[in-house]
Amino acid sequence: MNDNPLASFPEAAGWSLWAGSLGKGLIIAAIAFFLVAVLGWIFQARHILLPRLARIGFTVGALSMVGAMGCLVSLFVTDQFQFEYIFQHSAPDTSLPYKVASVWTAQQGSFLLWAVTSSVFALLSLRKAGVYTRWMGVAYSFFLGTLASILAYETPFNLMKEVVVHGKVLHPPFGTGMPPLLQNYWVVIHPPTIFTGFGSLVVPFAFAFAAMMSRNVVDWIRLVRPWALTSLAILGLGVAMGGLWAYETQNWGGFWGWDPVENVSFVPWLFVATFIHGIIVQSTKGRWMKANLWLGALPFIFFTYGTFLTRSGLLDNVSVHSFASMNRSALIILECFLATVIVGYTAVYFRRGKQAAIEASPSSPEDEGIQREGLYRIGILMVSLLAVVIAIGMSWPWFSALLQGGEKSRVEEALYHQVVVWFFIPVMLFMAVTPFVSWRAMGVKEIDKRVRQVLYITIGLLGFAIMALANPKHGIHSVPGDTVDFLFGIKLPLFGWMSVLIFLCMFVAVANTWRAVEMFKRSKGSIGGFIAHVGLATLLGGLIISKGFEQKKDVTLPQGGSVQALGYTIAYKDLDSTKLYDRNNKVLFTVTTPDGDTFEARPALFYVHEGDEDKPTVWPHIERQWSHDMYLSVSPPEVNVWKDPIELKVGERKEIPAFDMVVTYLESTMEGEPGTPSAKFGAKLKFEWQGKEYFAHPTLQMGEGQLRPDFPDALPGTKVALLQKNPADKAATLQLFYSPPQFPITLFYKPMTCLVWFGTLILFLGGLISAWSRRLRKAAPEPAKVEEAEHATEIHAPVPVA
């Protein structure tokens, strides 16, 4: 007789084992191919065929990473649960979009996704790299070879040890499944978008490295410009998507909480923005060659550092995001790569890049007075300092652990707001004024003449906005006398401070719209940067208004009762207590608005088994209107529990003095086959209370490897749960819950959140327009032309906007 519970599983399909071996083999092969590419390009002068061999090796290596991803997706889609990674993150009843999304919900899959997106950008950018091909290829191959080496240890293609029996691989019919909290449409679109942005960051880094190694620090700017603009657009969209996802699922009533993991993606985006503006200066004036060599590399370096922070466990317990700690060998590879990049890039800069930039820079001094280059310099400095400050904030858990003997702490949201404002105000002013400033020196009066009309329009629009915000029906329902905390314990009037911040956003939007209209006839491709600035101002305005004028009220609603908050009346409607472990379970409330209209709020409430306990999971209900969102967040119900469980054998009758009640165990029930997900164990009960009889049938059903109880009514105001059953004598252990559950509810009034969505769309479209207008139409110059290019003092380009 075979006592192995896995013996009944069918044998795994041969093709699936072949696909798993192929995926693992492709990753190992990629390491070898990238090594061939590195050596071929480094030593290309020794044989005429080496450059061709290097390119072939790199192409095959990059395609191997894509092929490995294809293998993993096919295994997920076809439910091959004999693989450990698939068993842990998918299930048979998972819908197809979520099965595909399960690929990148954990560490191994996300690293593979990063490798694939980086490979695609590398293949595309090398097509027209010209003289920079050699050293860009070395940088790409070193990086992708590192990712492949990490994936050799953090492989998603390992079989579960338990399913290998007597040389055969068995196929389990079930898996653990994607965590319910991730089963949201954003998991399908956000990670691929933001990892596409992450993959794009290697392009400016590789170009900057190649520019230094080839000593041509001039021509790379034209070639890297469309890639940097694409990176800015896609990464910015991904960051915004993350905020929108958090708003809809995190139950905290906001888009952005300055979480350390959020900042890991935001800091590189800020540095990409500074690089774009550095490109504009070098393209127009031939300056900033030394600065751009760093600005092109910093986004990639900071993201690699952020990856180390998130994957090393240093941010555990201080972030709402959860990442498994890396395999020790894989982590060492990542640490060595990060150290090599920082030290190696710095050495190359001081050895070759700095001198090449000095030799290629124009000898003419910068014009005296106010001109665009000077304003760009100040703006880039401010944004770079902001990025550094935020990077320190996201690293604080690590620093605090070193300073406090291992105890981690994070920078609170309020402190970020107090610090960021010092950068926000000047940066927004520069974004509004700089488009009207010429590259030649200008006087204050001339600038004033250009900006005055825009300023007047902004002030007028601000007046209309204030009147609209004060509209009693659709405006901002602020509380008179509200203040906001500022630095040094200063309190500012909320409405006055908000008016200043809104004015700055409107000033940027109006100014850049004005310039976009002016430039449309002269250079349609140049308006993308202005559109992106309008989108950013709109997005920031939405964040400021929705957070600054937010109203929040905490209330407790008893089951079957009603309560008032912020002018809304919330009445309990229904909760299916038999589906508390179903991720689609909702608590239903009837909400009456201040205008007398009604709607049904359906926040999610369900439980997930983690370790030895059941943890509640909640999603908010968001009722959207053009002027505001009504955001209803519900917490798990609070109930009183009879402290002593009741143990009964079949047929036993027992008195419960505390309830003045008698309970009888009438019959034991069972449905389905024991050990299968459909198995359900129950106990039919009779309750005698106040001269009446009540019947209940609590059950235990298998789910996620655990038996889950339901909570049927036992008698009025009391529910019963079957905690366990003895397989031998069918004895039941019961738990009584009495008094109506109390639902803690937080109601948020979030004005003008529509601006966040609208601004995100405008920002992304503006970035795409800019990238398309600067797309490459020819490759870099051949080596023979490099010497001439190195001595150029100024490169003339179309209107210099991002």
Side-chain angles (χ1 to χ4, degrees):
M1 180 175 180
N2 191 349
D3 295 329
N4 188 340
L6 303 181
S8 62
F9 292 165
E11 191 171 348
W15 76 264
S16 67
L17 302 180
W18 179 86
S21 299
L22 177 61
K24 185 181 293 187
L26 286 172
I27 291 174
I28 301 299
I31 300 174
F33 284 120
F34 288 132
L35 179 60
V36 168
V38 168
L39 296 177
W41 270 312
I42 289 178
F43 299 107
Q44 69 175 27
R46 298 190 177 185
H47 197 283
I48 193 173
L49 293 179
L50 284 179
R52 181 176 178 81
L53 178 64
R55 184 178 282 275
I56 292 173
F58 176 79
T59 301
V60 176
L63 293 178
S64 295
M65 303 305 291
V66 177
M69 176 61 83
C71 291
L72 187 59
V73 171
S74 68
L75 294 173
F76 263 97
V77 170
T78 55
D79 296 334
Q80 302 303 315
F81 301 119
Q82 64 271 24
F83 293 94
E84 184 176 13
Y85 184 73
I86 300 173
F87 179 84
Q88 293 174 347
H89 299 100
S90 189
D93 58 351
T94 303
S95 63
L96 180 59
Y98 289 145
K99 284 182 180 180
V100 175
S102 297
V103 172
W104 48 73
T105 54
Q107 188 139 265
Q108 295 95 317
S110 61
F111 265 104
L112 184 55
L113 181 60
W114 186 18
V116 169
T117 58
S118 300
S119 297
V120 172
F121 274 101
L123 289 171
L124 293 176
S125 60
L126 276 179
R127 290 174 58 248
K128 294 185 178 181
V131 70
Y132 300 108
T133 298
R134 176 190 184 188
W135 293 110
M136 284 182 66
V138 170
Y140 284 143
S141 299
F142 179 52
F143 167 59
L144 292 172
T146 299
L147 287 185
S149 300
I150 290 173
L151 285 164
Y153 289 98
E154 291 277 348
T155 178
F157 296 106
N158 280 338
L159 292 167
M160 289 196 297
K161 297 179 181 178
E162 295 81 0
V163 302
V164 182
V165 180
H166 304 304
K168 295 182 179 180
V169 179
L170 304 180
H171 179 205
F174 56 87
T176 303
M178 180 190 293
L181 189 60
L182 292 179
Q183 293 184 37
N184 179 281
Y185 67 95
W186 283 114
V187 78
V188 180
I189 58 177
H190 166 63
T193 301
I194 200 162
F195 270 94
T196 300
F198 295 155
S200 70
L201 296 177
V202 70
V203 180
F205 173 84
F207 261 115
F209 175 76
M212 294 190 298
M213 292 300 296
S214 62
R215 293 186 180 274
N216 180 355
V217 295
V218 176
D219 296 297
W220 75 288
I221 287 297
R222 177 181 63 85
L223 302 177
V224 78
R225 189 172 189 169
W227 298 109
L229 288 165
T230 301
S231 180
L232 187 72
I234 297 176
L235 184 56
L237 179 63
V239 172
M241 281 182 173
L244 296 171
W245 185 3
Y247 181 68
E248 293 186 357
T249 61
Q250 287 295 336
N251 219 45
W252 59 14
F255 294 92
W256 192 262
W258 297 102
D259 184 89
V261 175
E262 293 174 347
N263 294 335
V264 164
S265 55
F266 184 48
V267 169
W269 184 83
L270 290 174
F271 276 118
V272 174
T274 63
F275 180 49
I276 293 297
H277 293 82
I279 288 175
I280 296 172
V281 176
Q282 184 170 339
S283 298
T284 306
K285 304 294 289 184
R287 305 183 192 276
W288 292 20
M289 295 184 184
K290 291 187 292 182
N292 282 334
L293 292 174
W294 277 108
L295 292 177
L298 287 179
F300 175 75
I301 292 174
F302 269 92
F303 177 68
T304 304
Y305 167 69
T307 301
F308 160 72
L309 282 181
T310 57
R311 310 294 175 152
S312 62
L314 293 173
L315 299 183
D316 288 351
N317 303 319
V318 293
S319 170
V320 299
H321 299 76
S322 175
F323 293 96
S325 296
M326 289 181 67
N327 172 280
R328 182 59 187 163
S329 298
L331 180 59
I332 291 174
I333 293 173
L334 179 61
E335 291 170 342
C336 291
F337 174 76
L338 178 60
T340 302
V341 166
I342 294 174
V343 174
Y345 193 90
T346 303
V348 171
Y349 172 79
F350 284 105
R351 177 88 179 193
R352 303 173 73 100
K354 184 178 179 180
Q355 185 59 37
I358 292 174
E359 294 174 357
S361 296
S363 57
S364 58
E366 184 178 329
D367 294 341
E368 297 291 336
I370 302 175
Q371 31 81 26
R372 184 174 294 188
E373 181 180 349
L375 296 184
Y376 270 17
R377 179 182 294 108
I378 300 173
I380 288 176
L381 177 62
M382 296 297 292
V383 175
S384 298
L385 289 175
L386 173 61
V388 170
V389 168
I390 296 174
I392 294 173
M394 77 182 186
S395 307
W396 190 249
W398 183 18
F399 298 156
S400 64
L402 295 175
L403 297 173
Q404 301 174 18
E407 183 178 348
K408 300 175 186 175
S409 60
R410 57 169 289 182
V411 178
E412 296 300 323
E413 181 180 359
L415 182 57
Y416 274 109
H417 290 163
Q418 292 178 0
V419 173
V420 167
V421 70
W422 291 96
F423 300 95
F424 175 81
I425 293 175
V427 168
M428 295 300 283
L429 288 174
F430 281 124
M431 286 177 62
V433 174
T434 301
F436 295 93
V437 178
S438 172
W439 291 98
R440 60 174 178 79
M442 299 176 63
V444 175
K445 291 184 177 180
E446 187 177 359
I447 297 174
D448 174 67
K449 183 179 179 181
R450 291 190 175 192
V451 177
R452 187 183 306 164
Q453 288 180 300
V454 173
L455 184 61
Y456 291 160
I457 292 174
T458 304
I459 294 173
L461 290 176
L462 178 64
F464 283 114
I466 290 175
M467 287 190 292
L469 295 177
N471 184 293
K473 185 173 182 179
H474 298 294
I476 303 299
H477 302 157
S478 61
V479 179
D482 273 359
T483 59
V484 61
D485 293 332
F486 203 65
L487 289 177
F488 314 117
I490 300 174
K491 291 186 177 295
L492 300 176
L494 175 63
F495 204 90
W497 178 238
M498 291 295 296
S499 297
V500 172
L501 298 181
I502 294 171
F503 166 79
L504 291 171
C505 294
M506 295 181 71
F507 192 21
V508 172
V510 172
N512 283 271
T513 300
W514 184 290
R515 287 294 289 154
V517 172
E518 286 185 337
M519 295 301 303
F520 184 74
K521 292 183 179 180
R522 292 161 50 188
S523 178
K524 294 181 176 62
S526 299
I527 67 173
F530 298 128
I531 293 174
H533 288 167
V534 172
L536 180 61
T538 304
L539 169 62
L540 292 175
L543 292 173
I544 289 169
I545 294 173
S546 66
K547 181 64 176 179
F549 286 122
E550 168 190 283
Q551 291 188 46
K552 176 182 176 183
K553 182 69 174 180
D554 294 314
V555 294
T556 301
L557 174 61
Q559 184 172 329
S562 64
V563 70
Q564 289 191 341
L566 303 180
Y568 293 83
T569 300
I570 308 168
Y572 174 85
K573 184 176 181 180
D574 192 23
L575 169 64
D576 190 342
S577 60
T578 67
K579 297 182 178 180
L580 289 179
Y581 296 93
D582 182 350
R583 65 172 298 276
N584 295 313
N585 195 43
K586 309 286 185 182
V587 190
L588 306 184
F589 301 97
T590 300
V591 181
T592 304
T593 70
D595 298 329
D597 299 326
T598 61
F599 62 88
E600 185 177 78
R602 301 169 56 86
L605 170 63
F606 58 96
Y607 289 80
V608 178
H609 190 78
E610 293 184 9
D612 297 328
E613 60 180 329
D614 291 332
K615 293 188 176 181
T617 302
V618 290
W619 287 336
H621 175 88
I622 304 174
E623 192 69 16
R624 304 183 189 276
Q625 298 185 19
W626 73 267
S627 62
H628 68 278
D629 284 355
M630 197 288 293
Y631 187 106
L632 190 150
S633 166
V634 64
S635 297
E638 299 171 352
V639 296
N640 293 318
V641 180
W642 173 241
K643 63 180 180 180
D644 297 322
I646 304 168
E647 297 183 1
L648 293 171
K649 294 182 179 180
V650 178
E652 183 178 0
R653 184 174 183 271
K654 182 176 289 189
E655 293 186 7
I656 313 296
F659 286 83
D660 191 21
M661 175 187 69
V662 178
V663 58
T664 303
Y665 186 178
L666 299 176
E667 181 186 349
S668 172
T669 65
M670 186 184 73
E671 300 176 17
E673 293 293 329
T676 65
S678 61
K680 182 184 291 187
F681 306 92
K684 291 185 177 181
L685 308 171
K686 180 177 72 173
F687 295 90
E688 301 170 50
W689 181 66
Q690 294 185 354
K692 294 183 179 181
E693 293 182 349
Y694 300 88
F695 295 89
H697 185 198
T699 63
L700 285 168
Q701 184 170 5
M702 184 65 69
E704 297 184 9
Q706 300 287 329
L707 288 171
R708 307 291 192 185
D710 58 3
F711 299 86
D713 291 330
L715 47 95
T718 306
K719 294 182 179 296
V720 62
L722 177 61
L723 300 185
Q724 63 182 28
K725 280 185 69 174
N726 189 320
D729 60 5
K730 313 302 182 185
T733 301
L734 310 174
Q735 180 74 67
L736 292 174
F737 301 82
Y738 63 94
S739 80
Q742 308 284 320
F743 290 90
I745 292 175
T746 301
L747 191 67
F748 292 89
Y749 166 79
K750 305 284 295 182
M752 301 308 295
T753 53
C754 62
L755 295 179
V756 179
W757 298 81
F758 191 44
T760 298
L761 177 61
I762 298 174
L763 176 62
F764 178 62
L765 291 178
L768 289 186
I769 292 172
S770 291
W772 178 255
S773 67
R774 305 297 181 184
R775 66 191 184 280
L776 297 179
R777 293 177 174 84
K778 60 182 180 178
E782 296 303 317
K785 301 180 181 179
V786 171
E787 182 177 354
E788 178 183 351
E790 286 182 342
H791 296 286
T793 59
E794 180 170 339
I795 303 174
H796 295 281
V799 180
V801 293

